[in-house]
Amino acid sequence: MKQKIGLIIYYITIVLIILFGGMYMFKPSFMPYHAVIVKLNWEQIPASEQILVRALMIATGGVTISVGIILGMFVSTQIHYHPYIFRRY
């Protein structure tokens, strides 16, 4: 039972990580909390800086999605191969 609960928590975390990465990767402008920090709307930022911010958001989203996938692969392989963490009773 504890193993199932642990796996559910891991998989929920993995899905949230991948969704967060996708949100960053595919959003056409920065997040509302970015606007609060820079005290500017997306339209007020010069086009050259918009390109830079979008590139950084795409890179961050890609890395986050990759981390989620790698974590998912790690968790799924540890279920079968790690005798101390995922013991079957």
Side-chain angles (χ1 to χ4, degrees):
M1 182 65 176
K2 288 181 183 180
Q3 179 183 3
K4 287 183 183 182
I5 293 172
L7 287 176
I8 290 169
I9 291 170
Y10 269 122
Y11 287 128
I12 289 172
T13 304
I14 290 165
V15 168
L16 290 175
I17 288 171
I18 292 172
L19 287 175
F20 182 77
M23 184 176 64
Y24 253 73
M25 209 166 173
F26 298 114
K27 187 142 172 45
S29 63
F30 58 37
M31 303 296 178
Y33 48 86
H34 295 142
V36 170
I37 296 298
V38 296
K39 296 182 176 92
L40 295 172
N41 292 331
W42 180 251
E43 295 79 23
Q44 295 172 322
I45 295 178
S48 59
E49 292 179 19
Q50 285 182 358
I51 293 169
L52 176 64
V53 170
R54 278 296 300 136
L56 290 171
M57 287 177 67
I58 290 170
T60 301
V63 167
T64 306
I65 290 171
S66 300
V67 166
I69 291 170
I70 290 169
L71 183 60
M73 291 168 56
F74 175 75
V75 168
S76 65
T77 58
Q78 293 302 310
I79 292 170
H80 303 293
Y81 299 118
H82 200 289
Y84 299 110
I85 294 177
F86 296 107
R87 273 188 273 183
R88 299 199 189 266
Y89 294 101

